[in-house]
Amino acid sequence: MSVTIPKETFPFFIKLSQNNDRDWFNEHKPEFKAIEKQVKVAYNYLGELLSAHDQIEKIKMFRIYRDVRFSKNKQPYKTHFGGSYSRKKPKLRGGYYLHVQPNNESFIATGFWDPNKEDLLRIRKEFEMDDSDMRDILNDKTFSKTWGGFVGDELKTAPKGFDKEHPAIDLIRRKQYIFTKKYTDKEVLAEGFLEDVNDSFKKIRPFFDYMSDVLTTNLNGESIL
């Protein structure tokens, strides 16, 4: 029997969204802690599944407390669980993310959320020189059926130093290289959900292998590690 997300998770977050204040949360904290404990087991189980086919360096499940210092939204608590899985650097690049939220707002994400300026320039230079490998990955039927295309932020025009008429400008102007997949509440609570997530993450490997190769070599293909 596989590990599952506890069925109490979504009802609790729905109640929290309607009572997002410290008094209510403190009163119901034992209930939250019981759910959180089970969810941590689920996140760690997914980490074990990932480690069977990838090198996971770090698992981080994010706290429920929101940092409201610079936010217009002053609600003190998140109404979802989130957790990330980092691959072993410097050789392996990219990461995985699992987001569990009621009202069919759950999703998984993978890729490069916030590449530093050196990595971003290296990626763009690679696409400027040759985008054929990336196109092959994106056009693969198995890959595209699971992940579709890139999501995330992009520039409206070409980055500085790049030709806005370049054939790969759709790839070059991206600021993030992210893929996401959504899940319904029913799917999240079902037996085998975490196995499905793991299987989906497994299918991202051609992209990660390619990007790891790009980011650990120079434009001549020589290792920089």
Side-chain angles (χ1 to χ4, degrees):
M1 193 171 181
S2 68
V3 176
T4 58
I5 301 295
K7 65 181 185 303
E8 298 86 1
T9 303
F10 291 150
F12 179 84
F13 277 136
I14 290 170
K15 288 186 289 184
L16 177 58
S17 68
Q18 297 164 350
N19 303 275
N20 202 326
D21 61 72
R22 288 178 176 82
D23 288 343
W24 187 91
F25 184 79
N26 287 334
E27 184 181 341
H28 294 82
K29 195 169 185 179
E31 180 185 353
F32 169 73
K33 283 296 184 182
I35 295 169
E36 183 187 46
K37 185 177 180 180
Q38 294 180 68
V39 173
K40 280 183 178 178
V41 171
Y43 272 81
N44 286 327
Y45 174 67
L46 177 58
E48 292 173 10
L49 295 177
L50 289 170
S51 295
H53 59 85
D54 202 350
Q55 296 180 54
I56 302 300
E57 190 171 54
K58 184 179 180 183
I59 299 174
K60 182 178 181 181
M61 188 168 153
F62 301 111
R63 301 172 73 217
I64 195 170
Y65 306 100
R66 296 183 65 252
D67 183 356
V68 300
R69 290 174 298 171
F70 310 107
S71 174
K72 290 181 180 178
N73 180 357
K74 297 302 181 183
Q75 292 184 332
Y77 306 105
K78 300 170 187 172
T79 53
H80 66 267
F81 284 117
S84 65
Y85 303 81
S86 303
R87 304 178 80 218
K88 191 173 183 180
K89 290 183 178 181
K91 190 176 180 181
L92 304 180
R93 298 298 185 90
Y96 308 98
Y97 176 77
L98 169 60
H99 185 98
V100 176
Q101 183 172 352
N103 301 318
N104 304 314
E105 294 291 336
S106 298
F107 65 89
I108 56 174
T110 187
F112 298 82
W113 286 263
D114 187 25
N116 62 49
K117 63 179 182 179
E118 292 81 14
D119 283 355
L120 187 56
L121 179 60
R122 175 68 183 88
I123 293 166
R124 286 169 170 170
K125 284 290 187 183
E126 185 70 23
F127 292 151
E128 181 183 47
M129 189 168 64
D130 181 11
D131 66 335
S132 60
D133 288 342
M134 187 72 254
R135 300 292 184 193
D136 287 344
I137 292 168
L138 292 173
N139 292 330
D140 178 82
K141 287 183 179 180
T142 301
F143 185 93
S144 62
K145 185 178 179 181
T146 301
W147 291 107
F150 285 123
V151 298
D153 296 338
E154 60 183 9
L155 299 171
K156 291 183 178 179
T157 186
K160 186 177 180 181
F162 290 87
D163 180 6
K164 65 180 181 180
E165 302 298 330
H166 192 283
I169 194 61
D170 60 314
L171 298 174
I172 292 169
R173 71 178 181 221
R174 300 208 66 84
K175 296 164 66 178
Q176 299 176 310
Y177 295 91
I178 304 168
F179 297 95
T180 62
K181 179 183 176 182
K182 294 183 178 180
Y183 286 90
T184 65
D185 292 359
K186 184 179 179 180
E187 289 170 331
V188 171
L189 298 179
E191 187 96 16
F193 165 64
L194 295 170
E195 285 79 4
D196 184 86
V197 169
N198 177 60
D199 187 56
S200 296
F201 281 149
K202 197 182 291 186
K203 290 172 183 170
I204 205 72
R205 181 58 64 79
F207 172 66
F208 274 174
D209 288 348
Y210 168 74
M211 292 292 260
S212 294
D213 183 58
V214 168
L215 292 172
T216 57
T217 59
N218 60 26
L219 285 170
N220 292 320
E222 301 161 335
S223 175
I224 57 174
L225 296 180

